Each structure stands twice: as C-alpha cells, then as structure tokens.
Amino acid sequence: MNDPVYRVNQIEKNLVKLTGRVDAAQWAQANALTHFVSPWDEQPIKPITFKALYDTDYFYFSFSVEDDSVFTELKDDSKPSIAQSDRVELFMRADAQMSPYYCLEIDTQPRIMDFKAMPNRNFDLSWNWPEGEIDVKSSVLKDHFKVEGKISLKSLKALNLLKQDARGTFMEIGVYRAKYNQDEKGNKQATWITWVNPKTPEPEFHIADSFGIFRFES
C-alpha cells in the first residue's frame, strides 16, 4: 500500500468541543496537512490546513481555509444546492475497488451533502450518514472559513471504513475542496483542489488514485 499517508493522533475522550472555530486546545496535538494541489488549474490556490484526531468514540476533522469570497448557493437546502457552493469534502472507501465508497461534502453553513457511491460515478443521493453519528460546525470570517466535525467510530466500523492490517488501524480517504469563482462573463467556474493528485487530464476525485491513507496512531 504505497498511497500518501497522514497520521491521526489519539487524544483523551470527550475533550474536543465543536464550535466551528477549530479552537479546542486539542487541535494543537494534530498533524497539519497543508499539501493541497489543483493539478488542472494554473492559478495558485490559497492555503488550506486539514487536521484530524481521534479518541475512543469519535474521529474528529477540521478544515481551515483562506478565502475572502466564499460562495454559497442558498436557493434551498437540497444536495444539488450544496453541490453548487464552496465546500470541503471527505471521501472514504471500503476497499481499493471503491465498492462502495461514501462521500461527505460540507459547505460553510454548514450543510452536508452525504451520499453512497459505486465505481463510475454511480451515486445514491438518497443515502445519508447514520443519524446521530456525525456532527459538523462552521464559521465564516472576512478572509477565511473553518469547518470541523466528528464522526462516530461505531459508524465507520459499521460501514467497513475503519480497518486493520499488520500496522494497525487505518482508513482509505480522499480530502478535497471545491472553490467557485466568477469569470469575466459572470459565470461560475470551479477550481478543484485535492490532497492526492490523481494525475488525470481532467478534474476527477471519484477514482481510486485520488485517495490516501489515514493511519491511527496509538
């Protein structure tokens, strides 16, 4: 397994309080993932910091994103509306064949576009993360926004996403961001940003090569 690796540090139980500001003291114990790229866009991307932690009950994650022009489509709260908004994303797969994988796309409100998927963009948008097993908070300031959340380890295990090998506990996961900007004609253009470069000619997150490994440190 030669995919890029991010190491998730363990903390004591029930210490991270979600505020949307990523201001719990425990975040200082997390490794900072800052290597994000947009291989299909020549313009530089603004800084993004992702962090993750876990305790005996939850996997915690946070995004801190530099952005002074956040776009949110607010005509309704449907999943298609979220899909037209600036957002951060986590995809988690059950196996290397992505059969299935699960997608969390979270905007700055924060609204969650959660769905189950199979290869070749076979999406089940009616699927939702198990009720009560996920929570997210967010904040938007003048020049940045933050999203933080927690997912129960129980739900990750039930979906066969939290797995074991000879080196311990791990997840196969993609970390992404979608940024919308207006072109000179006023049309929205998306910039697709990823932790792992899938090396495709066009933007594509829904393939195995866009995933990395999260190793849970004990």
Side-chain angles (χ1 to χ4, degrees):
M1 198 176 287
N2 297 317
D3 301 296
V5 174
Y6 171 84
R7 300 196 179 278
V8 184
N9 291 334
Q10 185 174 16
I11 56 172
E12 292 183 34
K13 181 178 178 180
N14 293 332
L15 292 182
V16 175
K17 305 301 181 187
L18 300 182
T19 64
R21 299 185 297 273
V22 194
D23 54 2
Q26 288 70 32
W27 286 118
Q29 301 178 46
N31 293 310
L33 177 61
T34 59
H35 177 71
F36 288 89
V37 296
S38 181
W40 313 281
D41 196 307
E42 295 180 353
Q43 298 299 317
I45 61 173
K46 292 185 176 180
I48 302 165
T49 300
F50 174 87
K51 293 183 176 182
L53 295 164
Y54 80 104
D55 62 19
T56 54
D57 292 337
Y58 289 98
F59 167 73
Y60 301 90
F61 63 90
S62 70
F63 291 83
S64 298
V65 182
E66 221 177 271
D67 191 342
D68 58 7
S69 59
V70 174
F71 178 81
T72 306
E73 177 56 75
L74 291 173
K75 62 182 178 183
D76 56 44
D77 284 333
S78 66
K79 290 184 176 181
S81 178
I82 300 169
Q84 295 298 313
S85 301
D86 288 357
R87 61 195 186 277
V88 293
E89 305 179 356
L90 294 175
F91 292 2
M92 292 162 276
R93 69 188 190 196
D95 53 47
Q97 290 70 46
M98 299 175 62
S99 182
Y101 62 107
Y102 299 89
C103 304
L104 296 172
E105 306 192 9
I106 308 165
D107 72 7
T108 61
Q109 292 305 295
R111 303 173 298 178
I112 302 175
M113 178 178 175
D114 46 355
F115 58 97
K116 181 179 180 179
M118 296 292 284
N120 301 313
R121 292 178 169 265
N122 182 1
F123 301 156
D124 179 4
L125 294 177
S126 68
W127 184 89
N128 295 108
W129 202 271
E131 187 174 357
E133 304 299 327
I134 186 171
D135 186 26
V136 296
K137 304 288 185 184
S138 67
S139 61
V140 182
L141 298 177
K142 183 173 67 173
D143 59 356
H144 68 276
F145 71 86
K146 297 185 178 185
V147 172
E148 61 180 349
K150 65 179 183 180
I151 302 171
S152 73
L153 300 187
K154 179 178 72 173
S155 66
L156 291 171
K157 291 174 183 175
L159 296 171
N160 195 33
L161 298 173
L162 200 62
K163 297 178 285 189
Q164 298 283 331
D165 65 8
R167 286 176 284 176
T169 303
F170 71 100
M171 282 199 302
E172 298 175 76
I173 190 164
V175 186
Y176 317 103
R177 159 152 155 77
K179 170 60 188 167
Y180 284 98
N181 292 293
Q182 283 193 339
D183 62 21
E184 295 177 352
K185 296 180 179 179
N187 300 314
K188 282 194 308 176
Q189 301 293 336
T191 299
W192 302 102
I193 301 164
T194 177
W195 166 38
V196 179
N197 183 354
K199 298 181 180 177
T200 55
E202 300 294 334
E204 180 58 275
F205 296 163
H206 295 269
I207 58 172
D209 286 343
S210 77
F211 284 68
I213 303 296
F214 279 17
R215 288 276 172 196
F216 287 68
E217 302 291 298
S218 58

